[in-house]
Amino acid sequence: MEYKKYGNKYLLRVDKGEKIAQSLRILCEREGIECGGVYGLGAADHVELGLFDTAEKRFIGHTYEGAYEIASLNGNISRMEGEVYLHLHAVIADAENLTRGGHLVEARVSATAELVVQAFSGTAGRKYSQEIGLNLFEF
């Protein structure tokens, strides 16, 4: 992983074999990013996506192995109990351009991934909502 800072934005390159969410956490820790947004694209050979079932209040995960384009990745950065908290979503496409999408748990890069991170001034935390079953923004 390599990155460069431009004002309050970072261009991040995640290299083959590296993990996207893990790389974002490292960037946030190194640079002290408490709150921000992220978007990007790339290629991956191992992707973990999921869906939060609101009725059951549980996460349903799926793993995809093979050649995938990350057609879109976006999300936000906050903190929960002092730790980096990523909320990421992605759309991936296979060789037939069939897509899958959902909450991105992790993706291993197969060629490269190019991400933009915008750091916001200020902070946003997370707090578990018993009613919803998710960790929601806490301002």
Side-chain angles (χ1 to χ4, degrees), residues 35-106:
C35 184
V38 58
Y39 61 90
L41 45 78
D45 57 13
H46 174 93
V47 183
E48 299 169 45
L49 294 175
L51 164 83
F52 184 75
D53 182 326
T54 56
E56 299 279 327
K57 294 185 181 176
R58 68 182 184 94
F59 184 78
I60 302 165
H62 299 279
T63 301
Y64 301 93
E65 301 278 348
Y68 290 95
E69 285 289 329
I70 301 169
S72 177
L73 181 152
N74 63 69
N76 57 60
I77 301 162
S78 58
R79 296 279 175 145
M80 185 168 182
E81 299 175 1
E83 299 295 318
V84 173
Y85 191 100
L86 301 174
H87 187 183
L88 305 173
H89 284 206
V91 176
I92 61 172
D94 65 17
E96 281 78 45
N97 297 114
L98 298 175
T99 59
R100 302 282 186 181
H103 178 84
L104 178 67
V105 176
E106 188 59 273

